[in-house]
Structures are given as structure tokens and as C-alpha cells.
Amino acid sequence: MPVMTGAQALIEQLLAEQVDTMFALPGVQIMNALDAVYEHRNAINLIHTRHEQATTYMADGYAKATGKVGVAMVVPGPGALNAASGLGTAYASSSPVLMISGQIDSNSLGKRLGDLHEIDEQLDVFAPITKWNHRVASVAEIPEAVHEAFRQLTTGRPRPVELELPPDILAASAEVTLLDAETYAAPAGDAGAIGRAAAFLLKAERPVIVAGGGTLDASAELIALAEWLQAPVIMTQQGKGVIPDDHPLSLGVDYVVGPLKESLASSDAILAVGTRLHIREYEPGALPPLVHIDIDASEIGKTFTTEVGIVADARAALIQLLERLRDSGPARPSRGDAVTAQRQAFRDRMRAMTPDQSAIIDTLRAELDDDAILISGVTNIGYWSNVLYPAMQPRGTITSGYFGTLGFAFPTALGAKVACPGRQVVALCGDGGFMFSPQEFSTAMRYGINLVAIVFNNNAYGASRWDQIHRFNERFIATDLYNPDFVKLAEAFGAIGMRCDPAGLGAALKQALVANAPVLLEVEVPIMMPPFQIIS
């Protein structure tokens, strides 16, 4: 067995797990690990950020754009806590992010001596926002711990994990055994449950499919099943794009406002796949009979009574289910015209309600390629894009899910662009959220991450401002913003700064997308109605 330092064992095992990109911010407890990366700087693309929050946001963007594990590395204490918002976002949206955290020296653990960056029981801090976390206790244990982290990340429900390594263990040497990467079989559904689900769906005359983030790698199978059943497909935010928006059976995305409740009222069966199936303001007893497929057994029956529950990988279960249905006879007569008409009627209502937002989102769709990656930030146009932006492919839109993480869009988009340098990447930011991380234009310039950050500027925390207007009698407090000159801010970093009004967005975005540099495009907008505060 070779003798390695703990730091070398960490990086060698990450390479064995096929890691080729890391996002990090240096500090004393992880310097040995960074020095070990130096030995493999041609194999690992190490991107250092200007704030720890960007490490996990970028790792999350990388993971969501590719389906691969995104890796971040930070110091303990304030570094890890700064990175927690990105880790929590990954947890809320089921994204495979590995956060490697430093620690204080092993002989100081639990003694509350006040060592630099100390948090007593740091593992407990991250337990609620990780699938699994672990502190390494010896050099020899490191390959096995990293390997287990990847098993957790790549099996079952993909959620983040945290791995802690004290600096004395990173510096120490010992004999180690490196492990080969493993590919784990996707769990199929129980044959009996598949049979019951097929029989149930055959009896249904008006089934509807609800597709969540668990279907992103099962797009072809989901579409084939929907076409056989002639069932309209409603997507969650995380499942957006799993069926192309212009497919005759696509009803789009349900997000606060959406087609779900209307469809459930007229359906006699639901097939939910890869989703928590959280339906706001819906009485469980009023839901049509449900078949629920999910790799996370805890989600099945959690909110709604389930007729048939299938614990399985979405793609594997959909293949099994379609085989059973095809054996029963020919596919059903087309419902495409009716579903298309329903989708169009919903869109027409939304356009009438949101003419300003709809026009902006139409412009985005017209200028972006079908394989572009759009990061919808926690801002008005981001909110509405979840419903109104037509997505044509899985992993073409990225959101923060139920975490609603203000400020995540720009650094997450940087990670997506690192993962997919040949694709257009656009971040939809508000002026409030963008100012959480403008310093990451330094990162964009340092590494040539040529994305477009659109900053919709209304000089306010817009959703809260709208709330004050319509619920609090215009008692304005803490919602107005004093902003920099965004064009000059971009130019100060050496990036391209542009400014336009909504009418000029198309021409400006066209120019920004072909620029060989990071671009900040400011669009001045009024305070507008968000989807969760509709005033009719």
C-alpha cells in the first residue's frame, strides 16, 4: 500500500471518483488539501471564489446542469456557515453536492478551547441540510470515507453530503488503499406494484402525470408513457423541461399559479413521478386516486393517500410500467388537441394578468437557444419564468426550489457555465439578490466564465415592496435600495456592462450572448406583481 498524506489521499480518491472540477476558498485548515490539488492541477480544475457562499452555489449549478457531483471545499466555522445557504439550496432541490469542510485539530475537538474557526459539534449544524455527513478520524480512513460520500451522492435521492477533515489528519502520513469508482444499479420497482399500477392506470379515462425533479434523467421514458396513456404532463419547478413545452401533452409547470388544480378537478387518476407532490391549499381527500413513483420511500403517502406506491428509480420504473401497458393493447386515442388548447388558455390568462413580465419572458425565449441554461433567481421575472418560460430540454432551467434562496442566481449560473462552457447561460437576478455576490464577477473574469447576468433593477426588494403596497397600506420600511451604477460596476471588474429598458432587451441580449466576456445587463423595471401575491 502506498504511503500518502491525508491531503494526498483525499485528492487521489476524488480523482478516482472522477472529479475534475472543484470550487474552493482557501484558509489555514485546508491548505494541505489545496497543496495536494497543486500536484494534480492539470487534472482538477480548481476555481477559487471571492466568498464561501459561491463555492456551494457554483457546485450546485455544476451539479444541476450536468447531473454529476459538484464539489466545494471551505474552512470550518465561518467558511462552512457561509457555504450553508448553497448547501441548503442543494438539499431542498435534491442536488448532489459534496462539501469538504476543514476542522480544527483533532486533539482540540470537543474541548471548546476557542481554536480558530471552531464550532462545537459542527456535524450537528449540517445534519439537517445533508443526506449524510461524517468526520474523518485517520488518514487510512479517507479513501473509504470519500467513497462512501459518493455512494450516498449517487444512489437513492440525490442530496448533498458533508465531509470534515481536521488539518492534522490532512498533514499526517499513513499507508492507504485507494478505491475504484463504482456504478450502482438503479433500483427497479416491485413487479407486483408495477402490475397493480398498470391495471389501475388502464381503468382511468382521464389520467394526468405530475413529473418532478426525479424525472430529469428519464425524459424519453416519461414522454413515451404519457403518449401511450395520452395523459397530460404537469411539471414541478425541478422537473421543468422533462417534456418539451411545445409537446401536445405538456401542460407546463405548476408553481403557485399553474394548471395542476384545474387538471386534477377533471382527472380520474394521477401518476406522480419523482416529486414530493406538494400541492398548496389542496385537501388530501379531494385528490383523485394516486400512483406515486419515487426513489425516496418517505415521500410516498407522506402528504396524500396513495393507491399504489412504487419505491424505485424513475427511469427504471417507467420502463417497467410502459412494458406492462403495451402488453395490454394499443395506445389510446390522442388527447393532444384538448391538452394543447388547455395549455394555451392558461397561458392566455397569465399573459393578460402579466403583460410586462410575459413580454420580457417572450423576449428571453426568442433570443435563447433551445439548449440554453436559464437560472431563475428569486426575483419577479425569475418567479414568472418558472411558469411562463418555455423549456425544451431537461436541465435547461435551474431554480432554488422551495428554499427560495435570495442571491443564488448569479453564482449558481457561474457553476452551470463552468460545467457547460459551450451553452448559453443566463442568470435572472433582481437588484437586491444580485448584490449578495457582485464580487463573483472577479471569479468570472479570472476564469473566463462568459455568462450573462441580467439584473432587473427596480431599486427595491420588489416582492416585499409589493406586499407593503397591497397589504400594509404603503407603510414602507426596509424595502428601498440604494444601488451602484451597475454598468460601471461590471466595467470595474473588466467585464461588459450594458443597460436597456424592457423594449430594448432583445437587441441587448443578442449582443450580450455573443460577447467573449462576462456581461452584466441591467434592465430597469417597475415594481411588479409576483405570482404568490396576485391581485385580481
Side-chain angles (χ1 to χ4, degrees):
M1 293 186 292
V3 174
M4 297 183 185
T5 66
Q8 290 170 328
L10 169 67
I11 303 307
E12 291 284 357
Q13 188 59 42
L14 288 173
L15 285 168
E17 303 290 349
Q18 301 176 4
V19 170
D20 57 17
T21 303
M22 294 176 65
F23 307 96
L25 197 152
V28 61
Q29 287 97 344
I30 59 171
M31 292 308 295
N32 280 292
L34 290 174
D35 188 64
V37 174
Y38 183 86
E39 298 175 16
H40 298 283
R41 59 193 180 279
N42 294 325
I44 295 181
N45 180 24
L46 180 70
I47 294 176
H48 64 274
T49 66
R50 300 302 299 269
H51 193 292
E52 285 99 350
Q53 68 177 355
T55 63
T56 46
Y57 284 139
M58 291 182 74
D60 188 30
Y62 180 96
K64 285 174 175 166
T66 62
K68 296 166 58 178
V69 173
V71 182
M73 184 162 61
V74 293
V75 297
L81 291 177
N82 281 337
S85 56
L87 208 64
T89 303
Y91 184 86
S93 48
S94 299
S95 182
V97 171
L98 167 61
M99 187 175 89
I100 299 168
S101 173
Q103 249 300 351
I104 61 173
D105 279 340
S106 300
N107 60 9
S108 294
L109 287 168
K111 296 180 181 178
R112 302 183 183 181
L113 300 174
D115 281 14
L116 180 67
H117 299 335
E118 179 180 0
I119 293 181
D120 194 32
E121 300 302 333
Q122 182 173 282
L123 285 172
D124 291 348
V125 174
F126 289 95
I129 55 172
T130 56
K131 179 180 178 180
W132 176 84
N133 66 343
H134 177 72
R135 181 182 301 140
V136 169
S138 69
V139 173
E141 181 197 353
I142 289 175
E144 183 180 349
V146 173
H147 193 63
E148 176 61 19
F150 273 80
R151 189 187 72 81
Q152 294 282 345
L153 288 158
T154 56
T155 61
R157 184 175 186 168
R159 276 182 154 167
V161 305
E162 182 223 4
L163 193 61
E164 295 183 3
L165 295 101
D168 54 305
I169 292 176
L170 287 172
S173 297
E175 291 185 339
V176 297
T177 300
L178 298 174
L179 303 172
D180 293 332
E182 289 188 66
T183 300
Y184 303 94
D190 173 76
I194 293 290
R196 292 192 299 275
F200 171 79
L201 292 170
L202 283 169
K203 294 177 184 176
E205 296 179 355
R206 299 176 309 281
V208 63
I209 296 172
V210 181
T215 65
L216 287 174
D217 296 321
S219 175
E221 293 75 19
L222 183 88
I223 292 169
L225 182 65
E227 290 174 345
W228 195 97
L229 287 171
Q230 283 300 300
V233 178
I234 300 163
M235 293 159 282
T236 69
Q237 290 181 71
Q238 302 303 322
K240 189 174 175 73
V242 71
I243 181 171
D245 187 84
D246 59 358
H247 190 284
L249 292 173
S250 171
L251 277 179
V253 169
D254 191 79
Y255 170 71
V256 185
V257 293
L260 182 56
K261 293 178 184 177
E262 178 182 318
S263 297
L264 296 184
S266 61
S267 69
D268 59 355
I270 302 171
L271 172 61
V273 189
T275 171
R276 294 179 298 119
L277 199 63
H278 176 54
I279 307 173
R280 295 172 179 84
E281 300 174 5
Y282 206 93
E283 293 297 326
L287 199 71
L290 168 68
V291 172
H292 196 169
I293 299 171
D294 203 286
I295 202 164
D296 185 347
S298 70
E299 294 294 353
I300 296 176
K302 182 177 76 174
T303 308
F304 298 104
T305 300
T306 302
E307 192 82 14
V308 182
I310 301 171
V311 180
D313 171 77
R315 183 173 181 270
L318 289 171
I319 290 172
Q320 292 174 284
L321 187 54
L322 186 57
E323 288 176 351
R324 287 292 188 100
L325 292 171
R326 282 174 172 163
D327 288 343
S328 68
R332 296 177 172 183
S334 174
R335 295 173 65 195
D337 289 346
V339 174
T340 298
Q342 183 182 349
R343 178 179 73 234
Q344 190 58 50
F346 171 74
R347 295 286 172 81
D348 290 345
R349 291 197 303 274
M350 291 299 101
R351 287 176 186 280
M353 186 183 296
T354 61
D356 295 337
Q357 296 98 318
S358 294
I360 290 172
I361 292 167
D362 286 347
T363 299
L364 294 172
R365 178 66 279 171
E367 297 301 330
L368 294 177
D369 296 339
D370 282 353
D371 71 345
I373 300 174
L374 186 74
I375 290 79
S376 59
V378 180
T379 186
N380 195 283
I381 301 302
Y383 302 142
W384 283 108
S385 72
N386 291 328
V387 182
L388 299 177
Y389 178 78
M392 299 303 176
Q393 296 182 8
R395 302 192 183 279
T397 60
I398 293 174
T399 83
S400 60
Y402 69 76
F403 222 46
T405 324
L406 187 61
F408 96 104
F410 177 47
T412 301
L414 290 171
K417 185 66 174 180
V418 169
C420 304
R423 294 167 65 180
Q424 297 170 335
V425 175
V426 173
L428 305 181
C429 311
D431 50 326
F434 176 75
M435 289 301 290
F436 280 44
S437 56
Q439 70 277 0
E440 298 308 333
F441 258 101
S442 169
T443 306
M445 293 300 298
R446 169 71 176 77
Y447 294 101
I449 308 172
N450 297 338
L451 81 173
V452 179
I454 305 179
V455 178
F456 294 98
N457 183 8
N458 55 19
N459 293 297
Y461 291 120
S464 298
R465 191 77 167 182
W466 178 271
D467 206 13
Q468 289 174 336
I469 292 169
H470 293 278
R471 287 206 303 140
F472 295 96
N473 300 315
E474 299 188 0
R475 291 164 61 87
F476 297 125
I477 184 169
T479 57
D480 61 308
L481 297 176
Y482 183 85
N483 285 319
D485 182 319
F486 285 111
V487 171
K488 290 182 179 178
L489 178 65
E491 291 173 347
F493 284 103
I496 295 173
M498 302 171 65
R499 180 180 292 116
C500 68
D501 59 17
L505 176 59
L509 181 56
K510 188 186 297 288
Q511 181 180 349
L513 289 169
V514 298
N516 189 29
V519 177
L520 189 161
L521 172 55
E522 178 190 0
V523 183
E524 297 174 333
V525 294
I527 304 293
M528 296 182 288
M529 177 183 68
F532 43 83
Q533 295 177 18
I534 291 175
I535 305 297
S536 57

